[in-house]
Amino acid sequence: MSDTVLHERRDGYAVVTLNRPDRLNAFNEAQHLALRAALDECAGDDACRAVVLTGAGRGFCAGQDLSDRDPAMLGAAPDLGITLETFYNPLVLQLRNLAKPVVCAVNGVAAGAGANIALACDIVLAAKSAKFIQAFSKIGLVPDSGGTWWLTRHLGEARAKALALTAHPLSAEDAANWGLIWRAVEDERLMAEAIALAEAFARGPTHAYALTKQAIHAASTNTLEEQLQVERALQREAGRSDDYKEGVAAFLEKRAPEFKGKRQ
Ligand code: T3D
């Protein structure tokens, strides 16, 4: 695998690191392909029960590598609809639909698509020094990689529009206080906290986590009546799993559960 992404398998989880630190881990094609491959590997490995996504160096990700878009080199403008369709949109959906928890440890600036890829993860922790920047308007673009969706849903139109139109750098603490991310943590605690979450998830009921993700995703468009039906169907499935039997038995026996993370 290309070294634009580091993929470390640990006991029960994986740490995936964007690794182009001299470009603040901006995406070129190689990094896109390597990240997709790493996530595919995590998805196909039953023993990998959680993923931590982070960045090498002082940034998390500065979005698209703009040196690959230099008009002086390219001449005619590329069709950005095609690059979204080919690279960014599938990546967002891959992160969101991975059937195991994805923890994003935002170690530094997250700009453009880099901010929105972070928001596609299930739990976002950010170092207090990190910032989230919808940098698109600075270069005449529209927020992509789900940015208009996450911002509007999490923050409402007023804040979504202000962040997108001004490219205001949102501090990690404001992002947490506004409900855009889970928590802002001291810089030196970031990886320890992300790893602690992944270790806990690696011992958890993986299939129930996948169903929980599905239910929460469905809630964003469903009526209450529809959502109650979704919960009924997913709970029926969770209730048939060995992990559910184990969870109840462990509770009654006053011991810690030993979840296997399997579907059945
Ligand atoms: O094109 C398509 O396929 C459509 C999809 C688009 C998705 C997008 O993400 S569009 C948005 C692209 N991203 C940006 O516009 C952000 C550009 N970067 C910045 O605004 C700033 O770098 C930051 C605010 C992120 C950080 O600022 P700062 O002052 O902390 O760092 P810096 O000095 O600007 O950057 C450090 C180095 O990284 C620097 O290189 P150098 O001078 O040390 O050799 C800089 O050029 C490089 N870098 C940062 N971001 C990018 C980048 N190089 C290429 N592409 C980048 N996006």
Side-chain angles (χ1 to χ4, degrees):
M1 177 179 299
S2 155
D3 62 3
T4 54
V5 168
L6 308 176
H7 180 187
E8 192 190 340
R9 258 301 259 109
R10 299 191 184 172
D11 187 17
Y13 65 96
V15 179
V16 175
T17 307
L18 304 176
N19 188 38
R20 303 183 72 228
D22 53 330
R23 295 278 166 94
L24 301 179
N25 305 316
F27 276 101
N28 62 5
E29 202 169 312
Q31 185 172 275
H32 267 295
L33 295 175
L35 179 57
R36 298 286 308 279
L39 294 173
D40 272 342
E41 213 173 306
C42 296
D45 177 0
D46 285 347
C48 172
R49 292 163 67 181
V51 178
V52 175
L53 177 65
T54 191
R58 74 176 176 87
F60 171 68
C61 176
Q64 171 62 38
D65 187 324
L66 295 177
S67 53
D68 286 354
R69 299 286 181 266
D70 183 352
M73 303 290 290
L74 293 179
D79 180 340
L80 301 188
I82 292 181
T83 66
L84 293 191
E85 192 180 310
T86 310
F87 295 109
Y88 289 98
N89 293 358
L91 172 60
V92 166
L93 295 177
Q94 189 179 19
L95 285 164
R96 188 155 166 93
N97 296 331
L98 207 71
K100 44 197 86 176
V102 184
V103 177
C104 189
V106 181
N107 52 300
V109 66
N116 298 330
I117 296 299
L119 299 178
C121 299
D122 299 313
I123 298 190
V124 186
L125 296 177
K128 282 191 176 166
S129 66
K131 294 197 183 331
F132 294 82
I133 311 176
Q134 297 294 323
F136 305 89
S137 61
K138 296 260 188 201
I139 55 167
L141 289 184
V142 173
D144 61 26
S145 303
T148 54
W149 204 84
W150 318 121
L151 294 179
T152 308
R153 274 176 173 69
H154 297 325
L155 306 179
E157 264 193 37
R159 283 172 165 166
K161 282 182 182 160
L163 289 174
L165 297 176
T166 66
H168 169 79
L170 186 69
S171 70
E173 281 178 295
D174 280 346
N177 290 335
W178 289 10
L180 188 63
I181 66 168
W182 169 233
R183 286 183 59 204
V185 301
E186 298 301 334
D187 287 23
E188 58 279 10
R189 293 284 314 147
L190 177 71
M191 282 316 286
E193 299 220 7
I195 295 300
L197 273 173
E199 284 176 345
F201 289 139
R203 294 188 299 269
T206 311
H207 188 57
Y209 291 150
L211 298 178
T212 302
K213 283 179 66 165
Q214 266 184 49
I216 290 176
H217 296 169
S220 63
T221 49
N222 274 345
T223 62
L224 175 60
E225 286 75 10
E226 289 163 342
Q227 191 62 16
L228 290 172
Q229 294 303 317
V230 168
E231 290 177 358
R232 183 185 69 151
L234 298 180
Q235 196 71 297
R236 175 175 283 155
E237 186 171 337
R240 290 180 178 139
S241 68
D242 285 347
D243 277 348
Y244 168 61
K245 290 188 201 116
E246 167 62 8
V248 175
F251 175 80
L252 296 175
E253 291 161 22
K254 299 190 187 303
R255 61 174 174 80
E258 285 182 37
F259 292 120
K260 300 283 185 267
K262 300 275 192 287
R263 188 186 187 93
Q264 280 298 306

